[in-house]
Amino acid sequence: MNLDQIRQDTKGLSDNKIFLNNAGSSLMPKVVVESMVDYFHQEEQFGGYEIANRNATLLEEFYEETAKLINCKSSNIAFATSATDAYAKALASIIFKEGDVIITTVDDYISNQIVFISLQKKLNIKVIRTKNLSDNELDLEDLENLIKQHNPKLIAVTHIPTNSGLIQNVEGVGKICRQYDILYLVDACQSVGQMVVDVKKIDCDFLTVTGRKFMRGPRGTGFLYVSDRVLEQNYTPLLLDMRGANWTEYDDYELFKTAKRFEHWEVSYGSLLGFMEAVKYANNIGLDNIENYNKNLSGKLRENLKNSGFKVWDWGNKLSSIITFSEPNGDLENIQKVLKENNIFFSVTYKNSALIDFTNKNVNGIVRLSPHYFNTIEEIETVSEILKNSF
């Protein structure tokens, strides 16, 4: 990894800022922005249809690069406008009936929990959450018992919750889902881009990703992975358009074979191209290199905060590049003030975004720092020292 080149490629690192909010929305490499600006200038001159046709081969590279990123085929990839868009399309392809069961975890993302509750209210399905072990890892024995008891329609797990550095055991869940032939949906919007994610090892049916976080792509982008077994069973989103099927009879259509059936025909191709460049940028560095580097950064920051007396709220055996903390009394105000005064970029999460987790931890909110591979160990030490001296 050429850190000097990476930092040169990241114009947002100027102005003496230390950027540690990659779990919110990261800084794009300049090639991402330049590709989008160039594409929109072409649209300005010749119109969207003409430029999409001229760049058809280049735009198709998005599917190849993204497939390389998560170890699948290009036919398994659908572009999405966000991880939420991808998640909704995956859910909308499943025909839920009254009494059906979704099993999820206590650490699932707020928007996912809300959509499950919405389905529960509208369709009278049941939402059941599996237990955690004492070390905060998923209790896979409990999950298997719940499967035997409830025969769920879907199991849904967030790989890395937005509210802590926990990495959940999605591979272990995948093995159980395959054993019992249950649909499996993984929210990977905080993991893809900061670590190696291999859908063949996870063995999921759907996996959703956003562009704006650790992938360093533009807002309004994301993707959905759809497994071969789901495609072969003709799963489609509830509301198809001509991107998903060919109109063959007055009252019938023929589905297209690939995951593109989960897209809508109208796409911002400039945004897609920018996201493709972000994916290519990460692939060129190598996700294994990124993961190893991020482990060092996040491990050092987490250790420094603990040693300085802060309460670190990341519980689990495997932790990610998301560090959540507060003062021992739970106070966040002083931390926020100090970080803002020193031009350090961060985010804050409150209890309503992680209701079960924060209730169990007896905490009302946390400050979240999320370093990435363009950060330096010197920046980590600087932030650690600033916070230590403020405490």
Side-chain angles (χ1 to χ4, degrees):
M1 231 174 64
N2 187 337
L3 185 57
D4 288 339
Q5 185 61 57
I6 290 168
R7 289 181 68 84
Q8 288 176 34
D9 291 342
T10 309
K11 290 184 176 182
L13 294 176
S14 59
D15 303 325
N16 297 314
K17 71 166 69 79
I18 298 179
F19 192 89
L20 297 176
N21 191 20
N22 296 285
S25 187
S26 189
L27 300 177
M28 293 180 284
K30 61 183 180 182
V31 66
V32 173
V33 179
E34 289 169 354
S35 68
M36 294 174 68
V37 170
D38 176 65
Y39 191 90
F40 289 134
H41 280 163
Q42 292 182 61
E43 284 194 344
E44 179 185 31
Q45 293 296 318
F46 302 103
Y49 279 23
E50 175 66 20
I51 296 309
N53 289 334
R54 291 187 186 186
N55 289 277
T57 300
L58 178 63
L59 293 169
E60 198 63 26
E61 286 185 28
F62 167 77
Y63 302 93
E64 298 292 340
E65 284 292 335
T66 305
K68 189 188 308 180
L69 182 76
I70 60 169
N71 191 25
C72 66
K73 297 178 295 187
S74 60
S75 57
N76 299 119
I77 299 296
F79 177 76
T81 57
S82 67
T84 300
D85 174 43
Y87 206 86
K89 286 175 178 174
L91 282 175
S93 72
I94 304 168
I95 307 302
F96 290 103
K97 303 187 298 294
E98 182 174 345
D100 281 344
V101 171
I102 294 175
I103 295 178
T104 186
T105 75
V106 297
D107 290 295
D108 213 55
Y109 178 50
I110 172 178
S111 290
N112 302 345
Q113 296 276 10
I114 288 172
V115 77
F116 297 151
I117 296 168
S118 175
L119 288 171
Q120 186 172 249
K121 289 176 179 290
K122 293 174 180 176
L123 301 179
N124 201 25
I125 68 167
K126 296 178 181 178
V127 179
I128 297 172
R129 300 175 182 92
T130 189
K131 296 176 184 176
N132 282 354
L133 298 170
S134 59
D135 60 2
N136 220 50
E137 295 295 322
L138 286 174
D139 187 336
L140 297 183
E141 184 177 346
D142 179 60
L143 173 62
E144 191 165 2
N145 288 335
L146 289 174
I147 290 170
K148 292 175 181 176
Q149 183 178 351
H150 297 284
N151 188 26
K153 190 77 167 254
L154 174 71
I155 292 177
V157 178
T158 294
H159 196 183
I160 298 177
T162 189
N163 49 280
S164 81
L166 173 69
I167 301 175
Q168 301 209 89
N169 184 5
V170 291
E171 291 185 22
V173 175
K175 288 184 174 65
I176 295 173
C177 288
R178 294 289 67 80
Q179 180 183 347
Y180 291 92
D181 192 25
I182 298 168
L183 285 170
Y184 182 28
L185 168 59
V186 174
D187 178 342
C189 77
Q190 293 287 14
S191 55
V192 172
Q194 70 152 298
M195 59 184 287
V196 175
V197 175
D198 187 332
V199 292
K200 289 184 179 177
K201 291 182 178 179
I202 298 171
D203 212 358
C204 54
D205 295 290
F206 302 99
L207 182 132
T208 61
V209 178
T210 186
R212 66 179 160 88
K213 297 181 185 290
F214 289 96
M215 277 310 307
R216 304 183 64 197
R219 296 198 75 171
T221 63
F223 71 84
L224 171 67
Y225 160 82
V226 186
S227 71
D228 285 339
R229 58 180 163 263
V230 164
L231 292 173
E232 290 164 3
Q233 293 176 54
N234 290 337
Y235 278 77
T236 68
L238 182 62
L239 302 176
L240 276 170
D241 73 3
M242 62 185 181
R243 185 72 163 175
N246 185 33
W247 192 16
T248 55
E249 303 288 343
Y250 284 7
D251 295 307
D252 203 3
Y253 57 75
E254 182 180 354
L255 279 177
F256 294 140
K257 301 296 184 185
T258 75
K260 286 181 182 177
R261 71 173 74 143
F262 284 82
E263 298 179 356
H264 285 146
W265 186 83
E266 181 55 35
V267 170
S268 169
Y269 284 112
S271 299
L272 181 148
L273 183 61
F275 191 22
M276 187 268 284
E277 291 293 350
V279 175
K280 185 183 292 186
Y281 195 90
N283 280 338
N284 287 340
I285 295 171
L287 269 296
D288 51 348
N289 294 323
I290 291 171
E291 179 176 350
N292 290 332
Y293 187 81
N294 283 348
K295 280 182 181 178
N296 290 333
L297 290 180
S298 58
K300 173 56 69 175
L301 180 54
R302 201 173 273 117
E303 177 187 5
N304 288 350
L305 290 171
K306 287 180 179 177
N307 291 340
S308 296
F310 291 96
K311 185 69 176 180
V312 176
W313 294 104
D314 305 319
W315 298 354
N317 296 329
K318 290 184 65 181
L319 299 177
S320 70
S321 200
I322 295 177
I323 298 93
T324 61
F325 68 106
S326 66
E327 292 187 5
N329 63 1
D331 182 59
L332 308 179
E333 296 302 319
N334 182 52
I335 298 172
Q336 293 181 72
K337 180 175 179 290
V338 169
L339 292 173
K340 287 177 181 177
E341 287 175 348
N342 287 276
N343 210 18
I344 299 164
F345 284 63
F346 66 99
S347 62
V348 179
T349 300
Y350 294 103
K351 190 172 183 177
N352 64 326
S353 290
L355 191 59
I356 300 173
D357 181 44
F358 283 8
T359 298
N360 291 339
K361 291 175 177 176
N362 194 28
V363 60
N364 290 318
I366 51 89
V367 173
R368 184 181 70 182
L369 297 176
S370 46
H372 206 8
Y373 64 90
F374 55 68
N375 291 119
T376 65
I377 197 69
E378 290 77 18
E379 288 179 321
I380 296 301
E381 295 292 5
T382 297
V383 172
S384 300
E385 194 65 22
I386 288 169
L387 286 167
K388 179 181 179 181
N389 291 337
S390 71
F391 181 56

